[in-house]
Amino acid sequence: MAYEVEAPKYVRLAQTIQRRIEDGTYAPGTRVPSENQLVQSFGMSRPTVVRALELLKRDGWLESRQGYGTIVRGRPAVVENKDRRGLEALAREESRTPGRLVDVGEVAVPARVASALGLPRTAKVAMRRFLVEEDGEAVELVSSYFPAGLVEGTELTSGDPLTTGVREHLEARKKVRFDHVTERVSARLPDPAEAELLGLPDGVPVLSVLVLACDASGQALQVSEVLLPADRQELEDTYRLH
């Protein structure tokens, strides 16, 4: 069974512009093409272009300057941080990571994960939840979700810690190949179970890094949500004012 997932048009356009920023096509400090030019170049509607630009501005890739248009800021420092979190979620060897496996099983797919996996909200998915600790303090809660058919014949449903990373394990057992990762950072309040595991008092938010790992065709193989206590994080972003 194939597990198809296709991002909305504005997200795909934002990803294309982001790649052009990263490869230097749109250099920091320069203007991106106008809305009209983007509409013509990509054959998309103006509302789609506007939403893509707003997404990139919100995430720190672009900024609007009065009298200049939309300017490239470059790769935000926060992106460097979340990229590291996403790669760690795929490569982490549970057996060698300080912490503990707190939950393994089949669960109803969370709403924020369903659309990423291309599944209906009534679907069931396999989940592994690992609590990372440093010096006895919870620092990270990683909940990974997999289409149920993908975990058959693997150790992902076992209650024992994995001795390899999820990516390595799935590529070896299921002959799939991870190609790219898309991540999104947001903040939210944890649910009671998450707050208890992370040792958070009432009202303290978490930084959520949603990691969508796909193969080359865009099929979603895994979605992980990495939760970081917001009161224990420090993010830095430097950008030009002129």
Side-chain angles (χ1 to χ4, degrees), residues 82 91 97 130 155-156 166 213 235:
K82 72 185 180 70
T97 302
F130 192 89
E155 296 177 12
L156 293 174
V166 171
L235 301 178

mmCIF file of all heavy atoms in Angstrom, residues 82 91 97 130 155-156 166 213 235:
data_model
loop_
_atom_site.group_PDB
_atom_site.id
_atom_site.type_symbol
_atom_site.label_atom_id
_atom_site.label_comp_id
_atom_site.label_asym_id
_atom_site.label_seq_id
_atom_site.Cartn_x
_atom_site.Cartn_y
_atom_site.Cartn_z
ATOM 1 N N LYS A 82 16.064 23.592 14.363
ATOM 2 C CA LYS A 82 15.029 22.581 14.169
ATOM 3 C C LYS A 82 15.495 21.498 13.202
ATOM 4 O O LYS A 82 15.100 20.338 13.325
ATOM 5 C CB LYS A 82 13.715 23.214 13.707
ATOM 6 C CG LYS A 82 13.637 23.735 12.293
ATOM 7 C CD LYS A 82 12.296 24.429 12.078
ATOM 8 C CE LYS A 82 12.146 24.993 10.670
ATOM 9 N NZ LYS A 82 12.016 23.950 9.650
ATOM 10 N N ALA A 91 17.707 9.609 13.471
ATOM 11 C CA ALA A 91 18.955 8.862 13.666
ATOM 12 C C ALA A 91 19.158 8.352 15.087
ATOM 13 O O ALA A 91 20.024 7.510 15.323
ATOM 14 C CB ALA A 91 20.142 9.748 13.273
ATOM 15 N N THR A 97 20.602 6.419 24.129
ATOM 16 C CA THR A 97 20.182 7.768 24.480
ATOM 17 C C THR A 97 19.716 7.825 25.927
ATOM 18 O O THR A 97 18.878 7.012 26.333
ATOM 19 C CB THR A 97 19.024 8.228 23.569
ATOM 20 O OG1 THR A 97 19.457 8.178 22.200
ATOM 21 C CG2 THR A 97 18.596 9.649 23.912
ATOM 22 N N PHE A 130 9.372 8.588 23.095
ATOM 23 C CA PHE A 130 10.619 8.469 23.854
ATOM 24 C C PHE A 130 10.890 9.779 24.591
ATOM 25 O O PHE A 130 10.804 10.863 24.005
ATOM 26 C CB PHE A 130 11.792 8.164 22.910
ATOM 27 C CG PHE A 130 13.056 7.751 23.620
ATOM 28 C CD1 PHE A 130 13.292 6.413 23.922
ATOM 29 C CD2 PHE A 130 14.012 8.684 23.985
ATOM 30 C CE1 PHE A 130 14.453 6.021 24.572
ATOM 31 C CE2 PHE A 130 15.168 8.312 24.628
ATOM 32 C CZ PHE A 130 15.396 6.972 24.929
ATOM 33 N N GLU A 155 10.766 -3.823 14.286
ATOM 34 C CA GLU A 155 10.798 -3.778 15.747
ATOM 35 C C GLU A 155 10.175 -2.501 16.297
ATOM 36 O O GLU A 155 10.274 -2.219 17.493
ATOM 37 C CB GLU A 155 12.243 -3.911 16.238
ATOM 38 C CG GLU A 155 12.875 -5.257 15.893
ATOM 39 C CD GLU A 155 14.327 -5.346 16.317
ATOM 40 O OE1 GLU A 155 14.773 -4.452 17.071
ATOM 41 O OE2 GLU A 155 15.013 -6.289 15.882
ATOM 42 N N LEU A 156 9.514 -1.738 15.421
ATOM 43 C CA LEU A 156 8.936 -0.472 15.865
ATOM 44 C C LEU A 156 7.738 -0.670 16.788
ATOM 45 O O LEU A 156 7.344 0.265 17.487
ATOM 46 C CB LEU A 156 8.532 0.373 14.652
ATOM 47 C CG LEU A 156 9.702 0.870 13.797
ATOM 48 C CD1 LEU A 156 9.183 1.570 12.549
ATOM 49 C CD2 LEU A 156 10.591 1.812 14.596
ATOM 50 N N VAL A 166 15.651 5.010 13.674
ATOM 51 C CA VAL A 166 14.438 4.616 12.952
ATOM 52 C C VAL A 166 14.710 4.577 11.449
ATOM 53 O O VAL A 166 14.293 3.642 10.756
ATOM 54 C CB VAL A 166 13.284 5.584 13.260
ATOM 55 C CG1 VAL A 166 12.092 5.309 12.348
ATOM 56 C CG2 VAL A 166 12.865 5.472 14.713
ATOM 57 N N ALA A 213 9.004 13.090 7.384
ATOM 58 C CA ALA A 213 10.056 12.411 6.634
ATOM 59 C C ALA A 213 9.447 11.633 5.485
ATOM 60 O O ALA A 213 8.564 10.793 5.687
ATOM 61 C CB ALA A 213 10.838 11.471 7.552
ATOM 62 N N LEU A 235 16.657 30.423 21.613
ATOM 63 C CA LEU A 235 16.871 30.495 20.177
ATOM 64 C C LEU A 235 17.380 31.883 19.821
ATOM 65 O O LEU A 235 16.958 32.865 20.362
ATOM 66 C CB LEU A 235 15.573 30.208 19.425
ATOM 67 C CG LEU A 235 14.927 28.846 19.693
ATOM 68 C CD1 LEU A 235 13.631 28.734 18.920
ATOM 69 C CD2 LEU A 235 15.865 27.710 19.304
#
